[in-house]
Amino acid sequence: MDFEDTREEAAFRAEVRAFLDAHAPKEGLRHGDLQDMRARVARQRAWQRVLHEHGFGAPNWPAEWGGRGFTAAQSAIWRQECGRSGVDAGVLSAGLAMLGPALIAHGDDALKRRFLEPTARGDIMWAQLFSEPGAGSDLASLATRAVRDGADWIVNGQKIWSSFADHADWGFLLVRSDPRAPKHRGISFLLLDMKSPGIEVRPLVEMTGGSHFNEVFLSDVRVPDAQRVGPPGGGWAVARTVLMFERSSIGSFSALDYYEKLAALCAERGGADAASADEIAQLYAWAKGLDLLGKRVQTKLSRGEIPGAEGSVMKNAIAELMLRAAALGMRLLGEEALAADSPCARDFLFAPSMHLGGGSEEIMKNLVAEQVLGLPREPDGFHGLPFDEIPRSQGGA
């Protein structure tokens, strides 16, 4: 494992840091105004335009599609430095970090020309329309139907946990286009104008007081076939690409940020009692271990290798670390933690969702069991059956 940047990586990191120090908004773009999402979206779009003007709109994309062709190692350094400056992709990440790479890998040139540059410029904000009330961890059980009607698809169904769908311009949508095919083979991937007739978006008010997530109802919504990514019934491959980039993005958060926040809180209050100090030390050890795992991933990327299940391990560990750090921060604050604007309150209330976003904890453990430990896949008594012959609960019908 390489603990330090190579000479080339160090020079690149210095270039990125100098750019961000000169141009990043001083107030950052972290969490913040979940109660004032319009202001947050406007600030994020404005920063994205600055990035695009300087060639950093989507730097990991190929140069032919408006990127800078960053290597995987350079992309990792870019994410690290953006995290340091508090200016990650935020509400635009669905398009920049997930759909964009999938569209480059699976889309035709017409779709790439139409959507990639506006996405990199911040003109299009995307929402992921995957999960359903009866299809969360087992996403391939999705039941939203799409029926072909000439040059269009007619879509009916419901999606849930769709981040920022109430502010999105477009959505990327998984639909059941062939119910007679086995469940993984009858799915198509469509791009959906969120202003289309027949769409109703209902924000879900969370414990935080914000509405990060939404449910989306689709009633006879027409989607042109020209907005399909991949072949009909071949949407699962596109979805897997999206999910791979989503999990990688979640797992790239800096674990040490949570320790540093707690250490600063203790310093402000003149120290911590012995029990809290011991917990902070444990969190540091855990965060440092994750940091080293991140360096192992970066080392593989620098050498042109493809990481394995590290992203799943890091995603689960970051979720647990965030939950424990937030709980400890609340205890350290005492009565102050009850204030709506306390520095740890939002993290404490939002942290449980990290165990679900990008794939539930159990799904991540299954991936690690199969890919790292070599354990057999769980038996599936319905494998190969047409989707319409698989028993389903009433909630997922």
Side-chain angles (χ1 to χ4, degrees):
M1 183 193 302
D2 297 330
F3 290 91
E4 303 294 336
D5 292 338
T6 65
R7 182 179 301 176
E8 293 79 10
E9 288 167 354
F12 174 75
R13 188 183 295 277
E15 175 195 347
V16 169
R17 185 167 292 189
F19 167 78
L20 292 172
D21 286 346
H23 295 92
K26 301 307 178 189
E27 70 275 13
L29 296 168
R30 294 183 197 269
H31 303 319
D33 304 316
L34 273 182
Q35 321 296 1
D36 186 5
M37 278 300 303
R38 290 187 184 279
R40 183 180 174 192
V41 170
R43 287 207 306 271
Q44 193 87 52
R45 288 187 194 264
W47 169 235
Q48 190 62 32
R49 284 192 289 272
V50 172
L51 289 173
H52 186 263
E53 289 167 6
H54 289 83
F56 287 105
N60 58 313
W61 296 359
E64 64 179 307
W65 298 113
R68 294 182 59 169
F70 276 6
T71 64
Q74 288 174 327
S75 294
I77 290 171
W78 171 256
R79 289 195 301 269
Q80 291 163 7
E81 292 302 314
C82 285
R84 179 188 66 85
S85 298
V87 289
D88 58 24
V91 299
L92 301 180
S93 62
L96 295 168
M98 291 184 269
L99 176 67
L103 194 55
I104 290 168
H106 300 278
D108 59 37
D109 285 354
L111 288 175
K112 294 174 187 177
R113 285 192 297 268
R114 181 178 177 185
F115 290 110
L116 287 177
E117 186 176 356
T119 298
R121 198 168 49 237
D123 294 345
I124 297 179
M125 179 174 167
W126 292 87
Q128 183 189 60
L129 304 174
F130 280 16
S131 295
E132 300 180 5
S137 296
D138 184 12
L139 180 59
S141 292
L142 65 93
T144 293
R145 298 292 177 108
V147 177
R148 190 67 182 266
D149 182 31
D152 296 338
W153 294 90
I154 309 299
V155 180
N156 285 278
Q158 178 186 355
K159 298 293 179 176
I160 198 166
W161 312 124
S162 303
S163 298
F164 312 121
D166 52 338
H167 294 273
D169 306 297
W170 284 75
F172 45 102
L173 172 70
L174 286 182
V175 294
R176 176 73 49 192
S177 57
D178 184 0
R180 294 303 302 164
K183 66 180 184 179
H184 289 88
R185 284 187 246 152
I187 295 171
S188 293
F189 192 107
L190 304 176
L191 304 182
L192 171 68
D193 186 342
M194 294 297 289
K195 301 184 204 58
S196 301
I199 298 176
E200 180 185 359
V201 180
R202 298 180 188 172
L204 298 169
V205 179
E206 305 146 24
M207 293 188 294
T208 62
S211 297
H212 179 112
F213 301 110
N214 299 264
E215 54 185 345
V216 180
F217 297 87
L218 305 122
S219 302
D220 292 331
V221 179
R222 282 191 171 269
V223 182
D225 184 59
Q227 291 166 203
R228 172 176 42 82
V229 181
W236 187 247
V238 188
R240 289 185 62 182
T241 301
V242 170
L243 293 171
M244 178 184 71
F245 279 97
E246 180 180 19
R247 290 162 187 164
S248 174
S249 175
I250 293 173
S252 69
F253 292 166
S254 174
L256 287 169
D257 281 353
Y258 301 109
Y259 159 76
E260 290 166 0
K261 186 185 294 186
L262 287 172
L265 186 60
C266 285
E268 290 173 8
R269 283 158 172 70
D273 58 56
S276 296
D278 183 62
E279 284 192 67
I280 292 174
Q282 291 180 33
L283 285 170
Y284 173 79
W286 196 347
K288 188 62 178 177
L290 278 172
D291 182 58
L292 293 174
L293 181 57
K295 291 187 185 301
R296 177 181 292 177
V297 172
Q298 187 173 335
T299 297
K300 284 188 175 182
L301 295 173
S302 296
R303 296 173 180 173
E305 302 173 17
I306 299 176
E310 291 94 341
S312 296
V313 173
M314 293 175 70
K315 187 268 178 188
N316 267 6
I318 283 282
E320 183 64 21
L321 178 68
M322 181 177 177
L323 190 63
R324 293 192 181 193
L328 177 55
M330 294 289 280
R331 292 202 300 275
L332 291 172
L333 282 171
E335 293 180 354
E336 293 179 48
L338 299 176
D341 59 349
S342 69
C344 295
R346 184 198 172 278
D347 282 353
F348 179 74
L349 295 172
F350 188 76
S353 72
M354 294 294 290
H355 286 272
L356 301 173
S360 71
E361 186 171 347
E362 291 75 17
I363 293 295
M364 296 299 102
K365 287 179 178 178
N366 282 347
L367 291 174
V368 173
E370 295 166 12
Q371 297 178 17
V372 178
L373 302 179
L375 297 178
R377 291 180 61 87
E378 200 171 312
D380 181 0
F382 304 110
H383 180 72
L385 285 180
F387 177 78
D388 274 356
E389 295 180 17
I390 298 175
R392 292 174 57 78
S393 65
Q394 186 175 359

